[in-house]
Amino acid sequence: MNTTELFLVAMLIVFTLPYLIWRLGHTEYWAPLVVVQIITGIVLGPGVLGAWLPGYYSAVFTPAVIQSLNSVAWWAVSLFVFIAGIELDLSQAWKHRRESGITAGLALGMPLLLGCVAAGVMLDFSSGWIGPQAQTWQFVAGVGMSCAVTALPILILFMEKLDILRRPIGQRILRYASLDDIAIWGVLALILLDWGRVGKQLAFLAAFALLALLLRKLMLRVPESDRWYLALIWLIACALGADWCGLHFMVGAFLAGAVIDAHWFNQEEMDTLRRHVLLVLMPVFFLSTGLRTQWGLPGDGGVATVFIAGAWLLLASVVGKLIGVHVAGRVLKWQPGEASLIGWLLQTKALIMIIFANVLLDKQVITSQTFTALLLMAVGSTMLTVPVVTPMLRRLQAVLMRSS
C-alpha cells in the first residue's frame, strides 16, 4: 500500500474500533467515548500493539503515516485548546471571588503539592523518569501540576451528561475549574521559560499583548461571520509565535483563545464547533498520543514499573484534590457531602492533562515512560468520576441549587 492508503487504514482503525467498543460494550457509564478513544490510542501504540504484533504495527504505522497523523493532531489540539480558552468566563469567578479563590486555590494547590512529592519519590527510585532537557525543578513542577489539572472541556461534557451543568452547582464548579485552567497554563509557561531564548519570549509576550488589544477592537467592528475567520488567523499566528520563541504552540493557542470573549460568537455554534472538533479531529490526536507511549524503564522492572508509577500518581492526584476541596468546604462552611461531590467532579483530567503532558514530552522535560504513567493516571482519574458522582447526586439534591 502507498502512504495515502496506509493513512486511511490508520484513520479507519481509530474511528471504528473505539466506537464499536463504546457502543457494543455499553461503556458510557464508566468510560464515555472520549475515554475509550484515549485508551484505544494507547493500545494501538508501540507498547501494546507494537509489542504483540510488531509486523502489522510497522506495516501500518510507517514514519510517513505517523508524520501525517501528527500533522492532523497538531491542528486538532490547537483548535481544541483555543476553544477552551474562549470558553473561559472569569466574570462569575470575580463576582464570587472569595469563595472561588479559596476553593480553586486549595483544589489546585494540594494535589500540586502531593504530586511534587510523588515526583520526588520517582526520581529517588530512578533517573529514567526525567527528560534529558529538564532541570529537577521543572520535572517536579510538571508532574505535580499534571496531578492538579482539571480538564474543563471534559468536565463540561460530564456535567451535561449528569444534568447539572446549568444548575447552580455546575456553574460553581465551572468557576473553580476556570481559575485552575489559567493557573495550569501559567505554570506551564514558567516551566518552559528558556533563559537562552528569554529575549524572544518577552518579545512574543509584548507583541501578543499589543496585538490582542487591537484584535479585540477589530472584533467589535466586523460582522460575526468574519469573526470566525479572524479568530482562526489569530490562532495560527499566536501558535506560530509561541512555538518560535520556545513556549510551545499549544501555549500560544490557549492564549489566543483566552483574550477572545465567548459572547462575540453564537453560543450554539460554539458548542457545535467544540463537539465537531471532538468528533472529527480529536480521535486522531488520541491515536497520535498513543503512538508516543513507552512501557518500562531501561533495565528497571519492565511494564509493571510504569503501572506502579501511574497508580502512585493517581493516588497523589485523587487524595490531594479531595483534601484540598474538603479544607475549602470547612473554611466556607459547606453542607455535608458537598465537598466530596465537588472534589470528585474536579478529578476529571483527560484531554487537558494529556495535552499538558504532550508539551512536557515535546520539550523533553519528561521521558516517554513518565508520559505513559501520566496518561494512565489521567485515564484512571477520569473513569472514576461518573461512577463515584452519580450515587452522590441522588443523595445531595439540596446541594445542587446552592450558588455559593
Side-chain angles (χ1 to χ4, degrees):
M1 289 187 178
N2 59 36
T3 299
T4 302
E5 292 167 343
L6 289 174
F7 173 78
L8 292 173
V9 168
M11 293 287 281
L12 184 64
I13 293 170
V14 78
F15 278 92
T16 304
L17 189 57
Y19 174 77
L20 291 177
I21 294 171
W22 172 69
R23 179 54 69 197
L24 299 180
H26 304 288
T27 68
E28 182 64 28
Y29 181 70
W30 53 273
L33 180 57
V34 64
V35 174
V36 176
Q37 289 170 332
I38 294 168
I39 295 172
T40 305
I42 296 172
V43 171
L44 292 174
V48 181
L49 179 64
W52 289 347
L53 300 169
Y56 288 100
Y57 176 84
S58 58
V60 174
F61 296 108
T62 64
V65 170
I66 291 174
Q67 183 58 50
S68 299
L69 291 169
N70 285 341
S71 299
V72 177
W74 292 340
W75 180 237
V77 77
S78 296
L79 280 171
F80 189 83
V81 171
F82 177 64
I83 294 168
I86 292 176
E87 291 183 329
L88 280 179
D89 182 4
L90 299 180
S91 60
Q92 288 301 309
W94 178 251
K95 183 178 178 181
H96 301 275
R97 51 189 174 274
R98 178 177 178 272
E99 176 231 355
S100 298
I102 290 172
T103 308
L106 288 167
L108 184 78
M110 191 57 68
L112 171 61
L113 177 61
L114 292 190
C116 288
V117 172
V121 172
M122 290 170 65
L123 287 182
D124 287 339
F125 174 77
S126 172
S127 61
W129 302 109
I130 188 169
Q133 298 298 318
Q135 298 180 41
T136 301
W137 75 267
Q138 291 174 306
F139 172 82
V140 170
V143 172
M145 185 53 80
S146 297
C147 291
V149 165
T150 295
L152 182 59
I154 300 304
L155 177 62
I156 290 172
L157 293 178
F158 278 3
M159 290 200 295
E160 281 180 336
K161 171 185 171 62
L162 295 167
D163 194 27
I164 61 172
L165 178 61
R166 304 303 174 192
R167 300 194 190 190
I169 187 71
Q171 296 303 300
R172 286 172 58 196
I173 293 169
L174 285 183
R175 296 201 304 265
Y176 311 147
S178 296
L179 288 176
D180 285 349
D181 228 23
I182 290 188
I184 287 160
W185 290 98
V187 169
L188 180 60
L190 179 63
I191 292 170
L192 299 180
L193 192 63
D194 184 347
W195 292 106
R197 289 193 282 184
V198 70
K200 280 186 174 183
Q201 292 175 342
L202 291 175
F204 164 74
L205 292 173
F208 171 82
L210 176 61
L211 292 174
L213 291 174
L214 297 175
L215 175 80
R216 289 180 62 82
K217 292 182 179 180
L218 179 60
M219 281 288 203
L220 297 174
R221 294 174 178 237
V222 299
E224 185 177 324
S225 58
D226 286 359
R227 290 174 187 170
W228 288 106
Y229 291 102
L230 289 175
L232 290 174
I233 294 168
W234 172 244
L235 159 63
I236 296 167
C238 290
L240 175 61
D243 213 66
W244 165 78
C245 74
L247 284 177
H248 202 277
F249 71 90
M250 291 189 209
V251 176
F254 176 79
L255 290 174
V259 298
I260 291 177
D261 292 346
H263 65 79
W264 292 343
F265 306 95
N266 181 283
Q267 186 59 52
E268 288 185 9
E269 290 182 359
M270 182 66 69
D271 291 342
T272 300
L273 176 60
R274 172 168 34 84
R275 293 190 185 102
H276 285 173
V277 170
L278 272 171
L279 172 68
V280 176
L281 293 174
M282 287 304 286
V284 183
F285 171 71
F286 300 140
L287 175 59
S288 176
T289 294
L291 296 177
R292 311 182 76 181
T293 54
Q294 294 290 337
W295 302 86
L297 297 173
D300 232 351
V303 175
T305 307
V306 174
F307 272 100
I308 292 170
W312 174 241
L313 293 171
L314 178 61
L315 179 65
S317 170
V318 171
V319 172
K321 189 74 74 175
L322 290 176
I323 289 175
V325 177
H326 273 84
V327 172
R330 288 285 185 90
V331 173
L332 298 169
K333 297 180 173 56
W334 288 347
Q335 296 179 19
E338 196 169 351
S340 294
L341 175 65
I342 293 172
W344 278 106
L345 281 167
L346 291 176
Q347 294 293 344
T348 308
K349 284 185 170 43
L351 278 192
I352 295 300
M353 205 294 304
I354 294 171
I355 292 167
F356 188 89
N358 265 279
V359 176
L360 297 179
L361 182 61
D362 284 343
K363 294 299 183 180
Q364 301 185 62
V365 174
I366 59 175
T367 62
S368 294
Q369 289 79 7
T370 309
F371 176 75
T372 306
L374 290 172
L375 211 58
L376 292 173
M377 180 265 284
V379 170
S381 177
T382 305
M383 288 178 67
L384 285 171
T385 303
V386 172
V388 173
V389 166
T390 300
M392 287 184 183
L393 291 174
R394 300 192 193 107
R395 301 192 306 266
L396 300 171
Q397 288 299 310
V399 169
L400 302 185
M401 302 310 294
R402 286 195 60 212
S403 60
S404 62

